Amino acid sequence: MGEHAKTPVGILGGGRWGLALACAVARNGHPTLLHSRRAERPDALAPEVAVTSELGALARHSRLLLMAVPSDVVREVARALGDVVDGAHLIVHGIRGLSGEGLTPISEVLREETPCRRVGALGGPALADDLIEGRASVLAVASRYPEVTDAVRAALQGPLMRVSVSHDLVGLEWSSALNGALFVALGYARAIGVPPALLGGFLTRGLHEAARIAVAAGAEERSLFGVAGVGDLLAAMSQDDRPECQLGAALANGATLAEAQARSALRVEAATLVPRVVAFAREHRVDATIFATMEAVFSGRVSRDDVLSGLMQRR
Amino acid sequence: MAEAAPIFHFNDERSFIVEEVVARVAQGARDPLLLLNDAAWCEIRRLEARPGKERAEYERFRELARSIGRLSESERRRRVEEVARHYAKDIAGNFDPRVYALSTKVLPTALSLLLSPKDLTLGLRAKGRLREHLVTQGPVERIRALSRRGTVIFAPTHLSNLDSVVFGFALDREGLPPATYGAGKNLFTNPFLSYFMQNLGAYRVDRRIRHDLYKEVLKTYSSVLIERGYHSLFFPGGTRSRSGIVEEKLKLGLLGTGVEGFVHSLRRSHPQRVFVVPATINYMLTLEASTLIADYLAEVGRNRYIIEDDESTRVERVVTLVRKLVMTTGSVVIRFGEPMDPFTNRVLDDGRSVDHRGRTVDPATYVTRDGQPVLDEARDAQYTRELGEAICRSYARETVLLASHLVAGAAFGKLRDQFPGEDLFKLLRHRDEVFVPSDELERRVDDLVGRAAALEDRGGIVLGPGVRGAPASAVIDAAARAWSGYHTNAVLRPAQGGVVLGDTNLLLYYQNRLAVSGLGFHPGRRSK
């Protein structure tokens, strides 16, 4: 890596993930401005991070904007952001999910709602707490514009952070979103006592299904086997506190979807995503047994015994 | 109006433009040694097969290849300039306003007269008829306004060798300025055509030359023209669509000169706005249909494609075609799409770019870094890729379905239903086998037109003049009349109480216009 000037970076979103990104960027010595709609300054925030509640100030502060808002408000936030940015801004989101019935990647939403062309996405196994507490971790970034991945790498790469770069934006976004669903399956499978060997088998199958689905959506297959794909999944094997895993475990223990959702710490995308993914796979004639099983679990149509025997059967 | 276009002063600027191209190519050469060696290697290989008339050229490159290793860096740079100048001069055309005026007046009359002998004494009427048969649609008014505010790049679909003539005629008729375009050098070998093309601002592209230095000169030439305000015409598909399918993927080389020209112009005292106008050219009959589809099938099918007869590969004559076209109103439709800037933003009448949400955007912000407009190869390649995608989306929306496409679609649907599960090449071998009763064909046409109309209501396609609301029998008649006697093999053969599907290749060709929209079969997509 060459010498990078310390360029200003703007972060959008006062939640845990926004906070985490702000800490990671500030740790590398970049002037960091965090936009938050909350009035009080969060305790965990590094002292060198400035906070604003004004989008215009954020847009003037920096060309590179990292967006970490909940997926259900992303369109609304992007539209407001669109009023203050121009073609010079680079917007990179760190949102796991696909938007709406049409499974639109979040980067597409950014393109629709802002005049920005140079957009990208963050993914990979790093958890918010890793970044806040300064544990070594790894992130993935993808953009069709090398300028964007260069800027993100300059902002985040450091002694405690490895940034893995890809140009396959669609691949990263689909892979992240589908992983979110696989985490739920992982939590569920562990809770019903699936032995490790079988768990390995199921996850591999899930990953292959995810790969075929993502390829049908225009991703490159190998992206599913990179840091934002299989890397993400491998890390989840030992991240018990992932909200998606907790949701899966709650379902396995007999909770309804609504109960499980209420118990989980964060909003879990998977519940709305999975039925849409299953429909998408059907339309594109892609086998998606694991995802279809999950859909059945969400709707409460099957018992844990059904799930296990169903998965053991050969298609 | 149109006479204010820069092309009318091209000859005064010609040598200046050539020198600008040479300077820029030489400046941009990262490794002159490699560039020259690649040029010499390609040219020697190409020319040694049959040097013939180009003996001198061959010797020049042989000499270059031999001496190149011994040259100093500055001498190499000088040689790059020399070769670039040689090519730039060869590429640059001429523009003669008198020839332009003559050709725009004479051409339509000549075309009509040539083909419609009974109108020989009534030139005016013939011209009037061509006017009727060539329909222009789209935001012409806005494009006219934009052509006074910046450089317009016309980017039409490409089906036939007639495209540039027909498109040029449409521009003139709509009061739009002439556009310069690159034409294959082979077309310049005909002295008559060459005289016109040269003097109409066409520049010469030698498709046989494949090396980077030549491509660089060509792109730079286009970029310099764009930044100096010369309206340009690109066929971004590269070559004529062999299959008849509307372009889904474009060649980005020349298209990229739109962004490049824009960035360069920002550095000048009079920044030049650049507007891209996609357009579709839609023919009831395509001049070269039989040969094009045969090429396509041979390429895609390889060992599965069995050549049926050599008759169909015979080149049809232009005369029959134009006579046919003149007989049917609306048999050629040129439809302009919404103009956009090189970053795919919509453009308003006053030249302002606006984003999806209608907010004004300054296009310069996409290429400015620290207050300066900069070129960035990787970034601009991506902008161009996205521009290409936007143009293809426009093509799909603005495709005009004429009777021949719809009837072929209905007939081909019957063929597929008759032999479910058969692969394309097996399917095509059922020539003169399938009988379709008239009422069934009408039902199928009705159904297809209904689906197309629904898609048109959602802005996904365009039905040709007079198709909506017409009885199916009239649509079928129009297609049958167009086909009969034009293609060597009958497309639909009349039979007792119906028709027999004749030339299945041509049915595929004409129905392929429906492929991208999903209204018809798509030979390149996995069937669902």
Side-chain angles (χ1 to χ4, degrees):
Chain A
M1 293 283 314
E3 277 296 298
H4 284 291
K6 299 301 179 190
T7 46
V9 180
I11 316 281
L12 220 85
R16 194 99 184 123
W17 189 222
L19 214 77
L21 290 172
C23 288
V25 171
R27 192 172 292 131
N28 287 341
H30 300 281
T32 311
L33 182 62
L34 175 75
H35 176 271
S36 171
R37 284 193 287 199
R38 300 169 201 200
E40 76 282 15
R41 186 188 166 89
D43 295 336
L45 194 59
E48 55 273 36
V49 178
V51 181
T52 181
S53 60
E54 205 201 312
L55 278 177
L58 192 75
R60 285 191 300 277
H61 172 76
S62 49
R63 222 159 68 84
L64 175 63
L65 303 175
L66 305 180
M67 196 166 173
V69 300
S71 62
D72 54 338
V73 298
V74 62
R75 190 172 285 277
E76 173 198 335
V77 173
R79 193 171 300 177
L81 185 64
D83 289 337
V84 296
V85 292
D86 62 28
H89 286 91
L90 317 176
I91 310 184
V92 179
H93 75 85
I95 300 158
R96 200 188 280 279
L98 296 164
S99 169
E101 292 288 337
L103 298 172
T104 311
I106 306 294
S107 64
E108 269 308 304
V109 176
L110 298 177
R111 298 252 341 223
E112 285 165 18
E113 300 295 342
T114 75
C116 301
R117 289 291 172 274
R118 287 170 282 179
V119 296
L122 290 170
L127 291 177
D129 288 348
D130 295 343
L131 274 60
I132 292 169
E133 286 156 27
R135 281 194 292 269
S137 194
V138 58
L139 272 169
V141 60
S143 172
R144 293 166 83 181
Y145 290 88
E147 242 182 321
V148 173
T149 51
D150 285 353
V152 168
R153 188 178 242 177
L156 284 165
Q157 174 111 8
L160 291 175
M161 179 61 70
R162 232 197 82 76
V163 178
S164 158
V165 165
S166 155
H167 62 89
D168 182 16
L169 180 55
V170 179
L172 183 141
E173 293 185 286
W174 271 79
S175 164
S176 286
L178 295 176
N179 273 351
L182 290 177
F183 295 158
V184 179
L186 173 64
Y188 185 93
R190 270 201 300 230
I192 64 171
V194 172
L198 198 51
L199 190 59
F202 286 161
L203 280 183
T204 308
R205 188 162 157 193
L207 182 64
H208 277 274
E209 282 178 17
R212 284 191 292 264
I213 294 166
V215 167
E220 290 172 27
E221 189 178 35
R222 61 179 193 158
S223 295
L224 277 290
F225 299 92
V227 167
V230 73
D232 207 13
L233 209 51
L234 286 174
M237 297 291 283
S238 41
Q239 289 168 330
D240 295 325
D241 48 349
R242 276 207 170 270
E244 296 96 335
C245 293
Q246 287 167 352
L247 180 93
L251 288 169
N253 292 324
T256 64
L257 183 60
E259 291 161 2
Q261 288 270 40
R263 246 181 269 166
S264 104
L266 277 173
R267 231 183 84 84
V268 175
E269 282 304 307
T272 43
L273 183 73
V274 167
R276 290 170 186 165
V277 168
V278 172
F280 176 88
R282 200 174 300 127
E283 189 190 327
H284 288 82
R285 304 200 153 201
V286 175
D287 166 51
T289 311
I290 301 272
F291 286 88
T293 308
M294 243 186 293
E295 186 188 17
V297 169
F298 286 159
S299 62
R301 290 199 306 269
V302 289
S303 70
R304 41 200 284 177
D305 293 343
D306 297 339
V307 171
L308 204 56
S309 64
L311 288 177
M312 290 306 286
Q313 272 163 22
R314 217 183 136 72
R315 273 185 289 126
Chain B
M1 259 199 349
E3 284 71 19
I7 189 95
F8 288 89
H9 313 289
F10 176 74
N11 295 337
D12 303 335
E13 291 198 319
R14 191 171 183 272
S15 57
F16 177 85
I17 288 171
V18 167
E19 282 314 309
E20 178 78 20
V21 171
V22 171
R24 212 175 278 177
V25 169
Q27 214 171 36
R30 255 170 262 161
D31 188 343
L33 177 64
L34 209 61
L35 200 61
L36 286 171
N37 203 47
D38 168 58
W41 187 79
C42 288
E43 284 304 273
I44 290 168
R45 265 172 48 120
R46 177 174 78 85
L47 294 166
E48 72 191 348
R50 39 179 170 181
K53 275 188 287 183
E54 291 174 289
R55 183 100 229 163
E57 188 88 350
Y58 175 60
E59 292 302 338
R60 242 160 48 89
F61 279 106
R62 293 258 309 193
E63 185 275 324
L64 182 66
R66 276 196 300 265
S67 60
I68 202 168
R70 296 192 304 271
L71 298 176
S72 70
E73 185 65 16
S74 65
E75 282 171 318
R76 282 180 195 145
R77 234 163 244 287
R78 210 174 38 75
R79 295 300 289 268
V80 169
E81 283 181 18
E82 221 173 84
V83 180
R85 185 171 294 112
H86 169 72
Y87 284 139
K89 280 184 174 164
D90 188 60
I91 289 166
N94 239 324
F95 184 83
D96 188 330
R98 287 163 307 176
V99 177
Y100 178 72
L102 182 76
S103 70
T104 50
K105 282 200 182 59
V106 166
L107 193 68
T109 317
L111 271 179
S112 301
L113 284 186
L114 232 154
L115 316 161
S116 201
K118 65 174 185 295
D119 283 340
L120 250 165
T121 50
L122 290 163
L124 275 176
R125 212 174 95 202
K127 189 174 169 185
R129 299 187 80 185
L130 186 63
R131 213 162 269 272
E132 235 169 81
H133 302 302
L134 191 146
V135 174
T136 327
Q137 303 175 336
V140 172
E141 196 65 43
R142 182 180 323 153
I143 301 166
R144 217 178 282 142
L146 293 176
S147 72
R148 291 192 289 268
R149 291 177 177 275
T151 309
V152 176
I153 298 175
F154 294 99
T157 55
H158 199 8
L159 274 182
S160 164
N161 280 329
L162 285 183
D163 286 351
S164 50
V165 178
V166 170
F167 199 81
F169 172 67
L171 289 184
D172 179 65
R173 193 183 72 180
E174 298 301 329
L176 291 162
T180 177
Y181 64 100
K185 199 171 182 175
N186 50 328
L187 293 175
F188 286 84
T189 48
N190 174 331
F192 175 74
L193 256 184
S194 172
Y195 174 77
F196 274 94
M197 306 250 289
Q198 281 262 25
N199 290 299
L200 290 175
Y203 54 91
R204 268 186 295 204
V205 180
D206 193 335
R207 293 217 175 85
R208 298 166 309 170
I209 309 181
R210 288 286 164 87
H211 57 77
D212 288 349
L213 181 51
Y214 184 73
K215 287 182 192 159
E216 212 40 58
V217 173
L218 203 57
K219 283 193 279 184
T220 309
Y221 183 79
S222 168
S223 165
V224 171
L225 288 182
I226 287 167
E227 73 195 61
R228 304 187 71 85
Y230 290 83
H231 307 301
S232 300
L233 167 63
F234 299 155
F235 291 105
T239 55
R240 292 167 297 165
S241 166
R242 294 293 187 272
S243 58
I245 300 174
V246 179
E247 287 87 338
E248 296 171 284
K249 206 166 176 357
L250 305 180
K251 294 271 191 297
L252 302 174
L254 268 188
L255 203 55
T257 62
V259 177
E260 195 185 323
F262 175 64
V263 175
H264 276 293
S265 94
L266 287 174
R267 296 173 173 165
R268 293 156 51 100
S269 50
H270 299 292
Q272 188 72 21
R273 299 294 310 275
V274 174
F275 308 113
V276 180
V277 179
T280 58
I281 306 179
N282 309 275
Y283 293 102
M284 183 86 129
L285 291 172
T286 306
L287 172 64
E288 317 93 319
S290 301
T291 46
L292 289 172
I293 191 71
D295 276 1
Y296 170 75
L297 292 171
E299 195 196 314
V300 178
R302 293 161 169 269
N303 57 349
R304 284 177 298 157
Y305 177 60
I306 297 152
I307 293 168
E308 203 64 47
D309 60 344
D310 283 341
E311 270 299 274
S312 65
T313 55
R314 200 179 65 195
V315 179
E316 286 100 340
R317 291 161 307 157
V318 187
V319 175
T320 330
L321 174 81
V322 183
R323 183 179 295 151
K324 282 274 171 193
L325 292 184
V326 165
M327 274 162 55
T328 329
T329 302
S331 49
V332 184
V333 181
I334 290 186
R335 188 172 172 93
F336 296 102
E338 289 290 327
M340 50 191 160
D341 71 14
F343 313 99
T344 73
N345 292 300
R346 211 153 48 86
V347 183
L348 306 181
D349 286 6
D350 58 7
R352 264 186 308 136
S353 294
V354 291
D355 74 358
H356 275 293
R357 293 270 156 228
R359 292 174 289 224
T360 303
V361 203
D362 175 3
T365 57
Y366 294 100
V367 293
T368 309
R369 203 176 292 156
D370 305 323
Q372 290 299 315
V374 286
L375 286 167
D376 175 332
E377 221 174 288
R379 179 201 68 195
D380 297 344
Q382 187 53 36
Y383 281 141
T384 305
R385 218 167 287 141
E386 291 180 17
L387 176 62
E389 289 163 5
I391 290 174
C392 286
R393 286 195 297 273
S394 170
Y395 285 168
R397 284 194 305 270
E398 312 292 349
T399 295
V400 181
L401 300 180
L402 304 173
S404 57
H405 312 132
L406 291 159
V407 175
F412 201 79
K414 166 72 179 177
L415 186 65
R416 291 185 67 214
D417 289 348
Q418 188 94 344
F419 306 100
E422 277 193 11
D423 95 321
L424 177 63
F425 293 90
K426 261 182 152 172
L427 208 56
L428 291 174
R429 298 197 40 80
H430 299 292
R431 292 185 165 209
D432 298 315
E433 273 178 33
V434 179
F435 171 77
V436 195
S438 297
D439 55 344
E440 182 184 344
L441 187 60
E442 285 176 21
R443 206 172 56 239
R444 283 178 180 271
V445 169
D446 263 336
D447 170 63
L448 181 56
V449 171
R451 284 186 294 131
L455 186 58
E456 183 177 38
D457 293 339
R458 298 196 299 274
I461 203 123
V462 179
L463 277 172
V467 171
R468 206 182 251 257
S473 57
V475 179
I476 296 169
D477 270 359
R481 250 183 295 124
W483 282 326
S484 72
Y486 176 64
H487 290 299
T488 319
N489 301 322
V491 182
L492 293 181
R493 209 180 292 288
Q496 186 70 45
V499 292
V500 171
L501 309 186
D503 191 328
T504 46
N505 286 7
L506 284 173
L507 280 177
L508 173 69
Y509 177 83
Y510 285 107
Q511 84 88 39
N512 273 347
R513 222 56 192 162
L514 310 171
V516 173
S517 62
L519 291 168
F521 169 71
H522 194 309
R525 271 184 213 159
R526 218 162 34 125
S527 54
K528 287 188 182 168

